[in-house]
Amino acid sequence: MGGILLLFITFALWWYFYSLPPTLFATTHSHLLLDRDGKLLSAHIAADGQWRFPELESVPEKFATALIQFEDKRFRQHSGVDFLALARATYDNLREQRVVSGASTLSMQVIRLSRGNPPRTLPEKAVELLRAWRLESRYSKDDILKRYASHAPFGGNVVGLEAAAWRYFARSPEQLSWAESAMLAVLPNNPALIHPGRNRERLLAKRNRLLGLLLAQNVLSKLEYDLAIAEPLPEAPHLLPRLAPHLLDTLAAQHPDGQRFRTTLDAGLQQQLNTLAQRSGEQLALEGVQNLAILVLDNRTFAVKAYVGNRPMDTRREQGHAIDMIQRPRSSGSTLKPLLFADMIEQGLIVPDSLVADVPVNYSGFTPQNYNRHYHGAVSAREALARSLNIPMVNMLSVRGVEPFLMQLRQLGFSHVQRSARDYGLSLILGGAETSLWDLSVAYANLANRAAQDQQHQQTFWQQGRMLQIQPANSPRIATLSTATAWLTLDSLLEVARPGDDGYWEKFSSSRKVAWKTGTSYGQRDAWAIGTTPDYTVGVWVGNADGVGRAGLTGTQSAAPILFNTFSLLPANRGWFQRPDWQMSEMEVCRDDGYLSNGACDTKTVSVPLSSHFARITPYHQRIHLDATGQWRVTSECEAVANMQTRNWFVLPPDQADYYQQFHADYQPLPPWRADCQGSDSGQGEALSVVYPQDNTQIYLPRELDGKLGETVFRAVPTHPETLLYWHLDNQFLGTTQTFHQQAVQPAAGKHRLVVVDEAGNRVQTDFEVLITAH
């Protein structure tokens, strides 16, 4: 007897603790994308083909009241089994000699739903009774109600209250009326009633009967009842929202276990940009361009305000519209140039006014060209950035070094820039690297965020973009640019104009200031436009997902109009960035070239970051002596000192001067030497310059098709091409040239010095470094 009792107690304990599985509903759910206010933006159907949203966090009061009134009036009082209802159902079934009432409580129905709706038998009913009692001891009434509302069938492939509210009424459960809540409350009892054109009278009658009960219970007033009765039943099910399908695809891939993604998006702005993308996409499609993407970031919180991963899908044909082009790496075009500009200012290698050579150049077989195929001799770094000149930017990267700049990009968060410096070479700055619209936009937002900081609020780390509300903005990457550098960079981007399209950008005039940059990749495959204000950063990419280029596809003509149309949909600026005087210092530089004075130039005051170590003395100014007429250069060997005039003169190297004076009518070449001074010690260093390699640059030796190491070609320019030049590398004589002044060599890895001397004894030298040679 004792053994039987022990066995019974053991079974009772086992049943109590293990009669319910740890998870009642082990089913797949739809992925949901919600905006910052909880509005549904997009949804994925569950893996089993059902619209089954994740479990509700709470059940709206209207639906809960209607459901309890219809299904289980004493739900709040019983402990899982309503014995009064059970007795009544037993009597009715015996009287009718068939099952006319099941007396199932909501708790019992939850058990039944969790077991996959097995056949209705007495043993099964007994299991439901026992497990419903256990369910009530584990969960609260509200939890049980949530599980029922989340897993009840609502007709077709719609499971759960939330999915039903969106499918039948195109809004969330919290926004349902009494009539809509009553209809959904009666539907799980007979889900087939929802089919359009069938059983609508029965469904309407059941709904109205429930509304009558709510009136009788004083839940509804007479006016509320009359209004509810007048509401019609829904017609065909609505399509679920598809406002941000690409973001949902991306988040579902990144977080496969996620179900309800609460994003930082603004549903209203997202809808407006979808319309803009559709309208712009249709126009671009006429030009053979099928895809585009738009991203909007808040520069203070780094929250994504809008995310259009591609133009809305064309159901008639697929043109790569399903691909999230915000995350897809593409050729960067010219979009990295502002970051190089900022990096060089931060490192003290330039100030915005520093002159950079813009003449034909060849770097170990790499021959960059400006967009308009014109050369300007020399331009300021600021002008090179604003006009997106390729050759000056390549020259700047050569001075900075590819490897240090790559490290800066990676520190900023460019996740796709993973190849070696040798693989990229100097073409890195012209689109030789791949990046995504996401990484680019976040980098520009960091520039804006940095420029807006004040002395009391300085962030140590770069920020990262936030798609989800739970994501932090801080990254582990230490910020490597000062507020002053960021401000100077954005100030230089205020009036960007693409060479070849002079004046075109002015068509995008706006009431707000926007620092912006365009980019076009090789072969016109990618068109970029990135703009930023103190409040927002907008990034736009236009192109074909399959990489096919199209004539006329440029950042200025294809992407910039979308950029400024997007800005027109955003709130007005709160003003432009305040100049960070607290982090600026003043520096005197030569007015003509932006380098430190050597005592032979007129100066001007410029602002530089307080931490700047800029120390390059001008190479372009010299003090010369003229005769009394001011027409001829002389020295003390051929003219009395009392008869000489001393002048400061701006002198560019011959190769730069030839192009420079075409754009600067005020540029004056050096006066010629007086005939009797030709043989004197005139120090004619300006008569000779080395075009390649430039001083303090790094070069890579090319490899031939057979894998052997190739040669690099040195080039010099004397004033007169027929001049005889003598070439020396590391004190070793290389040979002479005349008319065509080039020398092909194969220097070893390491640092070298090239010296070129002309027949008159003029001498010029340049130091450079070879990074890679044969392995």
Side-chain angles (χ1 to χ4, degrees):
M1 187 67 177
I4 295 175
L5 180 60
L6 180 61
L7 183 62
F8 175 78
I9 293 173
T10 302
F11 174 78
L13 289 173
W14 174 88
W15 177 85
Y16 184 83
F17 288 106
Y18 297 102
S19 61
L20 291 180
T23 302
L24 281 177
F25 296 93
T27 55
T28 60
H29 293 88
S30 301
H31 288 117
L32 305 185
L33 192 76
L34 310 177
D35 86 334
R36 62 185 182 181
D37 298 322
K39 297 177 182 177
L40 183 66
L41 297 175
S42 292
H44 283 166
I45 199 165
D48 58 359
Q50 303 292 307
W51 285 113
R52 185 188 299 106
F53 286 16
E55 287 193 354
L56 292 165
E57 295 180 356
S58 63
V59 179
E61 186 63 30
K62 288 180 182 178
F63 177 80
T65 301
L67 177 68
I68 292 173
Q69 180 63 42
F70 181 76
E71 288 283 0
D72 191 355
K73 296 181 180 62
R74 285 177 287 277
F75 172 71
R76 297 291 183 184
Q77 289 76 45
H78 63 64
S79 298
V81 179
D82 186 345
F83 290 103
L84 290 177
L86 184 63
R88 187 195 69 249
T90 302
Y91 172 78
D92 291 342
N93 294 337
L94 290 174
R95 184 185 62 188
E96 298 293 332
Q97 297 296 306
R98 61 187 179 89
V99 177
V100 295
S101 176
S104 291
T105 62
L106 286 174
S107 301
M108 294 169 65
Q109 291 185 54
V110 168
I111 295 298
R112 183 174 182 79
L113 290 171
S114 71
R115 290 169 58 81
N117 281 312
R120 297 175 180 271
T121 63
L122 288 177
E124 178 60 32
K125 180 64 72 173
V127 170
E128 290 177 12
L129 288 170
L130 293 173
R131 289 192 173 183
W133 175 76
R134 180 66 187 97
L135 182 73
E136 293 268 350
S137 64
R138 178 186 288 186
Y139 299 106
S140 69
K141 291 289 186 179
D142 287 341
D143 287 338
I144 294 171
L145 205 58
K146 283 191 296 185
R147 280 164 175 77
Y148 175 86
S150 299
H151 296 279
F154 285 86
N157 65 342
V158 180
V159 177
L161 172 64
E162 190 172 9
W166 280 103
R167 285 289 279 162
Y168 301 136
F169 302 107
R171 52 182 170 272
S172 67
E174 293 78 14
Q175 297 174 312
L176 296 178
S177 67
W178 276 110
E180 293 164 344
S181 298
M183 192 208 84
L184 293 182
V186 304
L187 194 55
N189 185 262
N190 193 347
L193 295 180
I194 194 59
H195 290 289
R198 291 165 47 192
N199 307 315
R200 294 180 65 80
E201 293 78 8
R202 289 179 56 197
L203 178 60
L204 183 63
K206 292 184 72 171
R207 184 203 73 173
N208 292 345
R209 189 160 50 249
L210 175 55
L211 290 173
L213 291 174
L214 294 174
L215 174 65
Q217 295 293 325
N218 294 320
V219 174
L220 297 181
S221 67
K222 184 62 169 64
L223 176 61
E224 288 174 322
Y225 171 77
D226 291 339
L227 292 174
I229 289 292
E231 286 189 32
L233 294 177
E235 299 297 334
H238 296 271
L239 294 175
L240 291 178
R242 288 184 55 81
L243 294 180
H246 302 94
L247 178 56
L248 179 56
D249 291 344
T250 293
L251 288 173
Q254 293 176 353
H255 309 280
D257 295 332
Q259 296 177 353
R260 194 183 295 269
F261 297 109
R262 301 181 183 279
T263 72
T264 59
L265 270 63
D266 179 326
L269 179 62
Q270 182 72 22
Q271 179 65 70
Q272 289 178 303
L273 289 189
N274 279 336
T275 302
L276 173 61
Q278 181 63 41
R279 186 173 65 247
S280 302
E282 290 172 355
Q283 180 63 42
L284 289 166
L286 299 177
E287 304 167 11
V289 180
Q290 303 297 335
N291 307 105
L292 62 87
I294 309 171
L295 179 65
V296 180
L297 289 168
D298 185 313
N299 291 337
R300 286 167 287 184
T301 65
F302 280 75
V304 176
K305 308 297 291 184
Y307 190 108
V308 181
N310 212 318
R311 60 173 288 194
M313 295 184 189
D314 188 338
T315 57
R316 295 168 295 176
R317 55 180 180 171
E318 176 60 37
Q319 297 284 355
H321 298 160
I323 301 173
D324 183 356
M325 298 306 301
I326 288 178
Q327 302 295 332
R328 185 62 61 93
R330 305 285 296 202
S331 171
S332 57
S334 298
T335 56
L336 300 181
K337 290 177 180 177
L339 305 179
L340 174 62
F341 179 88
D343 190 27
M344 294 195 71
I345 290 177
E346 188 72 21
Q347 299 303 317
L349 296 174
I350 60 169
V351 297
D353 293 72
S354 298
L355 279 188
V356 185
D358 182 22
V359 294
V361 67
N362 181 288
Y363 286 94
S364 300
F366 172 52
T367 306
Q369 297 287 332
N370 288 331
Y371 187 81
N372 58 7
R373 299 296 192 271
H374 294 162
Y375 307 99
H376 304 81
V379 296
S380 69
R382 183 198 303 273
E383 183 181 356
L385 176 61
R387 301 179 67 177
S388 199
L389 298 175
N390 291 337
I391 293 176
M393 283 294 171
V394 169
N395 290 333
M396 288 168 62
L397 180 58
S398 178
V399 172
R400 175 60 176 132
V402 177
E403 184 62 44
F405 184 53
L406 276 177
M407 293 175 62
Q408 171 75 309
L409 292 178
R410 290 164 183 159
Q411 190 70 10
L412 262 168
F414 283 85
S415 57
H416 301 288
V417 185
Q418 297 300 329
R419 291 187 282 138
S420 68
R422 176 190 175 187
D423 285 343
Y424 288 118
L426 295 174
S427 66
L428 169 68
I429 200 61
L430 303 184
E434 288 190 333
T435 186
S436 65
L437 185 61
W438 176 261
D439 286 351
L440 265 177
S441 300
V442 170
Y444 276 69
N446 267 301
L447 275 181
N449 180 268
R450 202 74 181 157
Q453 291 177 24
D454 56 38
Q455 193 168 3
Q456 287 73 36
H457 303 89
Q458 279 283 286
Q459 292 175 341
T460 306
F461 300 95
W462 289 125
Q463 304 294 287
Q464 58 189 1
R466 298 170 49 238
M467 303 178 193
L468 301 174
Q469 294 181 14
I470 61 172
Q471 287 178 317
N474 276 337
S475 80
R477 294 174 278 105
I478 296 176
T480 49
L481 296 177
S482 64
T483 294
T485 294
W487 187 90
L488 288 169
T489 301
L490 296 180
D491 185 61
S492 299
L493 289 174
L494 273 176
E495 293 186 351
V496 171
R498 186 66 144 168
D501 297 315
D502 294 339
Y504 186 87
W505 63 275
E506 295 174 352
K507 296 178 182 179
F508 312 129
S509 60
S510 171
S511 59
R512 72 193 77 199
K513 287 185 176 181
V514 178
W516 62 293
K517 183 75 184 74
T518 59
T520 306
S521 68
Y522 177 78
Q524 295 180 295
R525 295 180 175 91
D526 306 275
W528 303 87
I530 315 287
T532 191
T533 68
D535 300 310
Y536 302 103
T537 291
V538 176
V540 176
W541 171 89
V542 174
N544 288 312
D546 59 7
V548 175
R550 285 289 183 267
L553 180 69
T554 67
T556 302
Q557 297 185 36
S558 305
I562 301 175
L563 174 82
F564 285 93
N565 283 334
T566 299
F567 271 115
S568 70
L569 298 174
L570 298 175
N573 289 352
R574 55 187 169 92
W576 191 242
F577 298 95
Q578 290 294 318
R579 177 187 166 91
D581 291 321
W582 57 273
Q583 206 182 65
M584 294 278 205
S585 65
E586 303 297 320
M587 180 178 292
E588 293 292 319
V589 298
C590 292
R591 185 176 302 277
D592 292 316
D593 65 12
Y595 292 101
L596 297 181
S597 174
N598 60 357
C601 69
D602 295 330
T603 63
K604 65 178 180 180
T605 301
V606 297
S607 297
V608 297
L610 194 62
S611 59
S612 174
H613 301 294
F614 182 70
R616 187 174 179 187
I617 297 175
T618 175
Y620 303 124
H621 289 85
Q622 56 183 270
R623 186 160 293 165
I624 65 172
H625 302 288
L626 303 177
D627 65 4
T629 68
Q631 298 180 26
W632 306 97
R633 273 190 292 167
V634 295
T635 69
S636 59
E637 296 180 6
C638 58
E639 179 65 84
V641 173
N643 297 329
M644 291 192 298
Q645 303 180 42
T646 300
R647 301 275 185 86
N648 295 329
W649 214 274
F650 175 50
V651 185
L652 289 172
D655 57 327
Q656 297 181 32
D658 185 50
Y659 294 103
Y660 187 84
Q661 61 191 359
Q662 298 177 26
F663 297 91
H664 300 81
D666 58 342
Y667 179 78
Q668 297 294 323
L670 280 170
W673 291 97
R674 202 170 67 186
D676 59 331
C677 296
Q678 291 289 345
S680 63
D681 182 16
S682 56
Q684 297 175 2
E686 73 281 354
L688 177 64
S689 66
V690 172
V691 175
Y692 181 77
Q694 294 186 357
D695 200 33
N696 296 319
T697 60
Q698 299 170 330
I699 67 175
Y700 295 87
L701 297 185
R703 290 194 174 276
E704 307 297 342
L705 294 177
D706 58 4
K708 293 182 179 179
L709 195 66
E711 297 178 324
T712 187
V713 178
F714 297 156
R715 180 170 175 249
V717 178
T719 301
H720 304 289
E722 66 275 8
T723 301
L724 186 66
L725 300 185
Y726 301 85
W727 298 74
H728 302 80
L729 181 64
D730 300 330
N731 296 321
Q732 298 294 317
F733 179 64
L734 295 178
T736 61
T737 57
Q738 194 168 19
T739 305
F740 301 103
H741 298 287
Q742 297 181 350
Q743 282 283 349
V745 294
Q746 191 184 85
K751 296 183 177 180
H752 301 274
R753 172 166 293 176
L754 174 69
V755 177
V756 183
V757 183
D758 70 10
E759 54 189 292
N762 297 307
R763 179 180 185 274
V764 64
Q765 74 178 39
T766 180
D767 296 315
F768 64 95
E769 182 179 8
V770 175
L771 295 182
I772 304 294
T773 59
H775 295 292

